[in-house]
Amino acid sequence: MVLGVSRDFSGGRRALDDVSLTVAPGELHALLGPNGAGKTTLLRIMSGLTTPSSGRVQVLGHDTSAFREVRREVGLVPAGDRTFYLRISGLENLLFFGRLQGLRRRAAVERAHELLERVGLAAAAGTRVGEYSTGMQKRLSIARALFPGPRVLLVDEATHDLDPSGASEIRDLVGELAAGGAAVLWATQRVEEVQGFAQRVTLLQGGRVRFAGSVAELVSRGSTGRFLVRLRAPGERVPSPTRLAAAVAGFGTITSAAEGSSDDFLLVLRDPAQLGAALARLLAVPVDVVSCRHELPAVEQAFLTLTREQP
């Protein structure tokens, strides 16, 4: 639970300004925002690595100022992790960090093998980390965060430098952890990750909360009246622009979407709810509606709208 947290740095720069959010057990909560929004600062405060200038952070009933109590309940997967020893194996790295956390060697070995299996690195346990791919190092970072058995997982930009396949594997892994009861805060600037992955979203810009709510509510903020439609006219190579414009005159306008794409048109409606009626008018021209979609995905449009607005 984050309550009214602000964080000031030298020179008067305010990284966070009165930020509040709550992540429930079993919830995958997305912390969305562009570069410099304050996401990493907030995660560092929640993990007890940085203190807020004002406000409170509680993790499972403990203030993060009580670092000893918090650190065993919180796992942090940092962005751009450069803290592994590249000349030793993944197993040896986990054993080193496990011993730092106070585990006896036998317990550390058992836990390390268990986690390497869980993140899909059992076959590479004896391989030097310097030979790991970026995706494998991300998996190892998650394994290390899980070493103490945390009930809260903070994940910072885990997929920003991965290909789509690797990013999907990491999201699946973290999603399984949330399904198992962990409270997960997933910080990202990749807006496409949010839909179908997180349950709730907090959007930061300039250190302030610009949106907080469900993914469905975020999507609704991006529902605009601009649609890209692909049309084909029977017996004609190009649908007649004049007839198309006349058909939708009561709803909005329709124009060619781009040069060299004669079947693609931009339909701009005064009211997005009238899309069905406008398409029915186009079908009566007659033309075939091959496809229709928002000019931008709704969640991306919401992100752009909210981050461009003045706070």
Side-chain angles (χ1 to χ4, degrees), residues 229-233 236 238-256 262-267 278-279 281-289:
V229 293
R230 175 162 290 185
L231 306 174
R232 297 219 178 106
E236 299 180 32
V238 180
S240 166
T242 302
R243 295 179 68 188
L244 296 178
V248 301
F251 303 101
T253 61
I254 187 166
T255 56
S256 178
S262 57
D263 293 338
D264 293 334
F265 293 83
L266 177 62
L267 174 63
L279 292 179
R281 289 284 185 87
L282 291 172
L283 289 170
V285 167
V287 293
D288 295 325
V289 179

Side-chain angles (χ1 to χ4, degrees), residues 157-179:
E157 299 288 0
T159 62
H160 78 282
D161 53 357
L162 298 182
D163 60 32
S165 177
S168 178
E169 290 175 355
I170 295 298
R171 286 194 297 271
D172 288 345
L173 175 58
V174 172
E176 291 172 5
L177 297 171

